[in-house]
Amino acid sequence: MIGSLVATGRRRKLAAGSQRALIIVAAIFAGWVIYANLFTISDPLILGILFVCGIYTIMFVAIGATPTAPDKVPFYDWALTLLSLACGIYFFVNAGAISDRISLLNPFTPAQLFFGSALLFLTLEATRRTTGMGLTGVVVLFLLYNQFGSYLPPPFGHGISDFTYLLDILVFTTDGVFGVPIQVVASYVFLFVMFGTFLSKAGGGEFFFNLAALVTGKSRGGPAKIAVLSSGLYGTMSGSPTSDVVATGSITIPVMKRLGYKARFAGAVEVAASTGGSAMPPIMGSAAFILAEYTAVPYQEVVLAAIFPAMLYYLGVFLQVHFRAVKEDLRPSEGEVPTFVDTFRTGWVFVIPIAGIVWALLSGYSPTFTAGVGVLAAVVAASLLKATRLSPWQIIEGLGETTLRILPVAGACAAAGLVIGGLSMTGLGMKAANVILTISGGQAVLTLIIAAIVTIILGLGMPTPSAYILAAVLVGPALAELGYPILQSHMFLLYFAIMSALTPPIAVAALAAAAIADEDPFKIAFSAVRLAAIGFLMPFAFIWNPGIMMLGDTLTNTVALVGGVLATAAIAISIEGSVGIALRQIERLILVAAAVAAVLPYPIIALGGIAVILVISVRYMLLLRQRASVETA
């Protein structure tokens, strides 16, 4: 059942010549995306149409219809490829007429009706192949509601029942398939993915792994700590929990298992660490770009607000790993840990593109320009050393791989556009918000809990961008009704959309880790939820306390900074129940209560919580020191 929901089409392994041709075509498409974004001013609708049609043309060759699809491209996939290409040519040739037509007023020509319907069908099939039946089923349900909702009784019914009305909004405006999600993917998401691809091809992934090993490799629980840090660093490039698990977990999980770590724990550490990458600045995941566009909050502000919560998330995972290692006496890494000189002998070049992106963001440049700076800096920096230099073919491969990596994201975001368009024209978004507020009785805490649960459910088996988009349009209005600031409320939804990747029963990130760890994905998922507990609690903290996101005054931010760090440590200690000495149950409960108090937006209460945590911490530090002195005596 779960497997069928998350099963996607198989990525084909074409013959060498065919694969080379596919890479070249994909690279040409990537070159067009760069040109369209950085050197021209395009009509958003036409840019979106050409991007989607180009993506579909490549997708139906690269990805088969089922998990067992053959490597040879069958005739029906060639037919879908040609249909996608024909749609792109038609819309390009008739771009002027399409841009000038007045939606819902000018009737469709037979050609517009045919190609618009074809594009709608292609979007559904592309979604099914790239994301599985979970998101596809949701989209189909919304389309059925859009088409036949007029037959439902109030308050759920609406007055729209004409297919041409539906088609006009969903395909011939920027409110549907070509709305905010696909516009974001077609611009800076694509370019940021390209940045990560080039950085990885030049050896950036190995540098991040060595950097993590340098910092933590010889400490107790070193391999697990390496997984936490390297996955967080790699996550800034990939922005996808599943791809992060596959990329870094293929190294860290076998190492942890070889040193005696249980497969369940090894997989859970990697899943918890990889999931947080989607919230880690300076790049974060594609959903963060959509958040910035959807809320009209500059991306620079989103990044700055996200820094401290992301650091707290990884601090929480890291501390739980540390206390577990102390409790179970987990061993450090075997063999040589890279030295500072070894790590930075060639790795120093990878600092340049990261610094370039940070500089561009802090200088106020647009995300598209910032991504362009990152791509250029990555290629130029890699060329400074022979060991990292990219050959002309590697550059072509990097361009082509970027297009192939963006296929699932584009399919998911095009489908999400269908949902947004349908919600906007039927008013279902506000109706859903009213239902949530009715169930919660308008109580703030209960509304937030319902919002978190709904977002996680929406994200089960779905890519993070799709989960966030659905939550933003269905749940976001309810949070707005309660008066929560737009950035904090949408970051709240984004975090729970991200956490859905490790939440049972589907937990797509755990499914990826299970194959590497050779362990039950459910066991990995439940352990990962425990390790990532701070990720489920922190959104409630920063939506109440703007200081957690550094959005308050100096006093508020300072108290929130200290309280957030100590509260995270208190939660980690309470969950693990030991700091080398087992805590009493009452002390664990007191730590939880103090952690809650420490992040409240009331300085007096927060300082009280901080004081309690410090008192308990000092007590156990003295006990540990006393035990150590007895053992050495």
Side-chain angles (χ1 to χ4, degrees), residues 38 53 96 115 131 151 199 255 273 283 333 346 349 358 392 398 403 443 483 531 551-552 589:
L38 299 179
C53 291
F115 284 107
T131 66
Y151 296 103
L199 206 62
V255 169
I283 299 176
S333 301
T346 58
V349 300
V358 172
T403 301
Q443 297 178 8
L531 285 172
L551 297 174
L589 294 175

Side-chain angles (χ1 to χ4, degrees), residues 534-560:
I534 195 68
F536 292 95
L537 300 174
M538 186 170 48
F540 290 93
F542 65 60
I543 201 169
W544 285 323
N545 187 350
I548 300 291
M549 300 174 74
M550 300 293 108
L551 297 174
D553 55 42
T554 302
L555 176 62
T556 300
N557 292 347
T558 302
V559 174

Side-chain angles (χ1 to χ4, degrees), residues 19 73 179 183 250 561:
Q19 182 65 26
V73 183
Q183 294 291 334
S250 59
L561 179 68

Side-chain angles (χ1 to χ4, degrees), residues 166-192:
L166 180 72
L167 189 67
D168 207 333
I169 296 296
L170 297 184
V171 177
F172 287 88
T173 72
T174 54
D175 293 329
V177 176
F178 313 112
V180 168
I182 209 66
Q183 294 291 334
V184 172
V185 172
S187 53
Y188 36 91
V189 168
F190 193 98
L191 295 177
F192 271 114

Side-chain angles (χ1 to χ4, degrees), residues 270-327:
E270 184 58 46
V271 168
S274 296
T275 298
S278 296
M280 176 60 72
I283 299 176
M284 305 176 70
S286 55
F289 298 110
I290 298 171
L291 181 152
E293 197 75 19
Y294 190 80
T295 60
V297 176
Y299 183 67
Q300 291 88 338
E301 292 184 22
V302 174
V303 168
L304 292 174
I307 290 175
F308 189 49
M311 293 175 66
L312 289 181
Y313 175 85
Y314 275 100
L315 177 64
V317 177
F318 189 90
L319 288 177
Q320 279 194 244
V321 166
H322 171 73
F323 292 129
R324 181 79 61 88
V326 171
K327 182 168 62 177

Side-chain angles (χ1 to χ4, degrees), residues 34-312:
I34 295 173
Y35 176 78
N37 278 287
L38 299 179
F39 302 105
T40 64
I41 300 176
S42 304
D43 179 274
L45 177 60
I46 301 305
L47 175 64
I49 289 173
L50 294 180
F51 178 83
V52 167
C53 291
I55 283 290
Y56 292 172
T57 300
I58 295 169
M59 180 185 297
F60 292 119
V61 173
I63 301 177
T66 65
T68 58
D71 288 328
K72 184 178 179 181
V73 183
F75 74 93
Y76 52 82
D77 278 352
W78 283 120
L80 293 175
T81 298
L82 292 175
L83 180 59
S84 302
L85 183 61
C87 287
I89 293 173
Y90 171 79
F91 282 109
F92 176 74
V93 171
N94 296 276
I98 291 171
S99 296
D100 293 339
R101 72 180 296 273
I102 302 175
S103 296
L104 306 180
L105 182 61
N106 292 354
F108 283 128
T109 65
Q112 288 172 341
L113 186 61
F114 172 78
F115 284 107
S117 301
L119 205 52
L120 189 61
F121 163 74
L122 290 170
T123 297
L124 292 174
E125 175 58 13
T127 303
R128 189 194 65 80
R129 291 192 184 205
T130 56
T131 66
M133 282 304 300
L135 178 57
T136 308
V138 170
V139 174
V140 170
L141 285 176
F142 274 104
L143 289 177
L144 291 174
Y145 172 77
N146 296 339
Q147 186 65 36
F148 302 109
S150 58
Y151 296 103
L152 294 177
F156 298 105
H158 59 78
I160 302 166
S161 60
D162 185 21
F163 175 72
T164 58
Y165 184 105
L166 180 72
L167 189 67
D168 207 333
I169 296 296
L170 297 184
V171 177
F172 287 88
T173 72
T174 54
D175 293 329
V177 176
F178 313 112
V180 168
I182 209 66
Q183 294 291 334
V184 172
V185 172
S187 53
Y188 36 91
V189 168
F190 193 98
L191 295 177
F192 271 114
V193 170
M194 185 180 296
F195 165 77
T197 301
F198 279 122
L199 206 62
S200 180
K201 289 189 77 66
E206 182 180 356
F207 165 68
F208 290 139
F209 184 86
N210 289 340
L211 182 61
L214 171 66
V215 175
T216 62
K218 284 301 182 181
S219 64
R220 194 179 299 184
K225 294 175 182 177
I226 291 172
V228 174
L229 293 184
S230 62
S231 296
L233 292 169
Y234 188 84
T236 64
M237 296 190 301
S238 71
S240 167
T242 305
S243 63
D244 199 352
V245 166
V246 173
T248 60
S250 59
I251 300 173
T252 59
I253 292 175
V255 169
M256 285 187 274
K257 289 181 65 178
R258 189 170 68 247
L259 294 179
Y261 292 47
K262 294 179 181 179
R264 174 176 181 169
F265 179 68
V269 168
E270 184 58 46
V271 168
S274 296
T275 298
S278 296
M280 176 60 72
I283 299 176
M284 305 176 70
S286 55
F289 298 110
I290 298 171
L291 181 152
E293 197 75 19
Y294 190 80
T295 60
V297 176
Y299 183 67
Q300 291 88 338
E301 292 184 22
V302 174
V303 168
L304 292 174
I307 290 175
F308 189 49
M311 293 175 66
L312 289 181

Side-chain angles (χ1 to χ4, degrees), residues 466-524:
S466 303
Y468 163 70
I469 293 166
L470 292 176
V473 296
L474 289 173
V475 183
L479 301 184
E481 282 286 319
L482 294 179
Y484 290 115
I486 189 167
L487 177 56
Q488 289 159 255
S489 60
H490 279 261
M491 282 291 289
F492 179 93
L493 298 176
L494 174 62
Y495 257 81
F496 282 105
I498 292 170
M499 298 308 293
S500 68
L502 58 74
T503 306
I506 297 181
V508 289
L511 291 174
I516 303 172
D518 192 23
E519 178 58 282
D520 186 337
F522 285 100
K523 292 181 179 179
I524 290 176

